[in-house]
Amino acid sequence: MAIPVIDFSKLDGPERAETMAAIAAGFEDVGFFQLVNTGIPEELLERVKKVCTDRYKLREQDFQESNPVVKALAELVEKEGEGLTPRKIKNMDWEDVFTLQDDLPWPSNPPAFKETMMEYRKELKKLAEKLLGVMEELLGLEEGHIKKAFSGDFEPFYGTKVSHYPPCPRPDLVDGLRAHTDAGGLILLFQDDRFGGLQVQLPDGRWVDVQPLENAIVINTGDQIEVTIILQYYYTNAVEWDGGLVELTIALDYCPAVLSNGRYKSAWHRILASRDGNRRSIASFYNPARLANIAPATPAAGEDAADYPSFVFGDYMEVYIKQKFQAKEPRFAAMATTTTN
């Protein structure tokens, strides 16, 4: 199965209905799809490739000499040479990474990096907000609902992670990036168009490649968009019974209080290490503000919202940072516990 590729330019033409249906299927069936003809200038995308590649060249020696994963892999290979059977590295990734946010310092080299990436982030943010509008229309929500939900009294968080996955001498012993779901809202990835490695897990458990495609933007949704009744949590409460107080434990089907009521998937994905090439990956995250209160969406038609708990996104992130590469159900359970205390 190939990850869907959707021509975004058709959204504003006579094929709008078919394009909307394709986007809905991408959100619902896999949780990943690729957009082409996004409106971002091709010339800008080419400049982004160049400045990010040039930036990595300035970081490459430090990665090879100082990154703990390089040392850990070398030690494993050395032990293998001594006749020991090496075990795959479980707590590190074969990845060089740095992040960009408007309110944090930016790299000054190469000279064109900051100007190019600021321009790119501006264009990508427009694409993200247009996609949120599509999502609202598909879900029957009022215009602007998701951005408002992500904001509270603050602007939604918008950050960019620039990664490179250099050639790895033993890809059987380490992952490029371990399997995980993303914590936040909408993720827009400008991935390498020559070297693959990104895989997404289908609902049936199979892993499939997200095929490299020149100047496409890969879209996926995070945990805050997904809402599925996927777990039970238990809470204990003191109740009056036969003249006294007893503890009553109640099991509830819990829907993590997010936005799409289970229709849109927060898909597991990973990046495989490879002996070949130096894979570039530029992921931008349109997430709730840290103090935003995440709660079930109320349909625009006026139907009553489900009476699910809500939580502060920053509280979720504190749990996510510790459990990113683990099952997501316990993260939701932690939020359920928070809301019942």
Side-chain angles (χ1 to χ4, degrees), residues 211-225:
Q211 62 273 27
L213 186 61
E214 187 174 12
N215 292 343
I217 303 295
V218 180
I219 306 297
N220 72 283
T221 48
D223 295 344
Q224 306 312 306
I225 297 295

Side-chain angles (χ1 to χ4, degrees), residues 159-279:
T160 297
K161 171 187 168 187
V162 181
S163 301
H164 282 82
Y165 302 90
C168 178
R170 289 297 300 273
D172 57 316
L173 295 180
V174 65
D175 291 312
L177 181 60
R178 288 161 285 169
H180 63 286
T181 64
D182 291 318
L186 190 66
I187 299 87
L188 303 94
L189 170 68
F190 185 30
Q191 72 165 345
D192 202 292
D193 51 22
R194 296 174 300 161
F195 304 110
L198 174 61
Q199 293 187 326
V200 59
Q201 189 175 40
L202 300 179
D204 63 9
R206 289 180 297 140
W207 288 93
V208 298
D209 295 329
V210 181
Q211 62 273 27
L213 186 61
E214 187 174 12
N215 292 343
I217 303 295
V218 180
I219 306 297
N220 72 283
T221 48
D223 295 344
Q224 306 312 306
I225 297 295
E226 180 182 339
V227 184
T228 311
I229 301 177
I230 54 175
L231 59 105
Q232 288 191 317
Y233 77 97
Y234 295 86
Y235 75 91
T236 301
N237 195 12
V239 298
E240 187 173 350
W241 179 264
D242 197 23
L245 291 177
V246 298
E247 286 192 342
L248 176 66
T249 299
I250 304 174
L252 295 177
D253 283 327
Y254 171 61
C255 171
V258 219
L259 290 168
S260 75
N261 208 23
R263 289 171 56 184
Y264 295 168
K265 312 301 181 186
S266 171
W268 285 88
H269 51 287
R270 66 188 182 189
I271 295 174
L272 303 179
S274 172
R275 294 180 184 272
D276 303 318
N278 179 22
R279 184 181 182 278

Side-chain angles (χ1 to χ4, degrees), residues 290 311-320 335 338:
R290 192 167 185 84
F311 55 81
V312 175
F313 180 62
D315 293 339
Y316 185 82
M317 283 301 300
E318 290 181 8
V319 175
Y320 177 84
M335 293 300 96
T338 298

Side-chain angles (χ1 to χ4, degrees), residues 6 26 62 124 196 245 258:
I6 301 169
D62 186 62
L124 204 70
L245 291 177
V258 219

Side-chain angles (χ1 to χ4, degrees), residues 6-14 19 35-39 130:
I6 301 169
D7 186 341
F8 200 58
S9 67
K10 294 183 178 180
L11 189 68
D12 298 320
T19 305
L35 293 181
V36 296
N37 298 323
T38 60
K130 187 170 183 177

